[in-house]
Structures are given as C-alpha cells and as structure tokens.
Amino acid sequence: MTMTYAQPLPRRYTRARLAVPALWRQVVRAGEKGDVTAVPEPDRSAHTQLEIYEGVLAAFERRDEVAELLRESGDRETAVRRLRAEFALTHLQASALLDLPLTPECRDRIAHRAQELRTALNR
C-alpha cells in the first residue's frame, strides 16, 4: 500500500482566505436551492460568522461606494486595504465582501442567516 501526503499550500493560500470563500459559496448556493437551513455549517464559530455577516450587511448599505472603490482598486490586496480603511471592516469582512456578488438577493440571504445566528446565540 502506497501512502501519499498532501503537499503544503503555497503561501498565498492562507487558512482565512480558504475559509471565507467556502462560507460564501454556502450562502449563495443555499439561495439557489431555496432552503438556507439545509446547508451544513463550515468549521467556524457562530460569533465569527455573525461578525462577517454584520460587516458585509453594513457595506451593502453603501453598495455604490463599495462598487466604486472596487473598480478603482488595482488588485485584491489593495481593495482589501481600502475597504478596511474606508468602511472600518476587519480583514475577514473585507475579504468576504470581495467574494460576494452585490445583489439584493444575496443581501437578503445574508440578512436571513445573520438573524438565525443572532437568535441561536441569544438562547
């Protein structure tokens, strides 16, 4: 029997960078299926998820400004830096915002999921 080992990830793939897109894929795909609660949770605490959702929802309120900032940014790192400075977001919130389509449907799904998390955490 031959054993194979996973190769180390290149430096550009940090744990946070891999976790955030997976979180958004779940949120976006859940809306496509029509059932938000059927999607399993990623390996992330509910408090961190809620922090990300609240930051993204706050940025949705200023969607036009966010879109303009993203158009003017040359690359991902510049966009993250500018989002953090302009909107007082954390690195996770800014990274998540870049991976998310700025559509009203997506905003509604995130708001619904954030409300579910708040309710679960307040029990």
Side-chain angles (χ1 to χ4, degrees), residues 2 15 21 28 38 66 81:
T2 304
R15 181 182 169 126
V28 172
V66 170
R81 228 178 300 117

Side-chain angles (χ1 to χ4, degrees), residues 57-79:
L57 289 172
F60 262 105
E61 299 301 322
R62 298 170 59 186
R63 184 175 36 203
D64 294 333
E65 296 172 46
V66 170
E68 182 65 29
L69 185 140
L70 295 178
R71 274 192 295 274
E72 294 172 356
S73 299
D75 61 353
R76 183 180 181 88
E77 292 305 315
T78 304

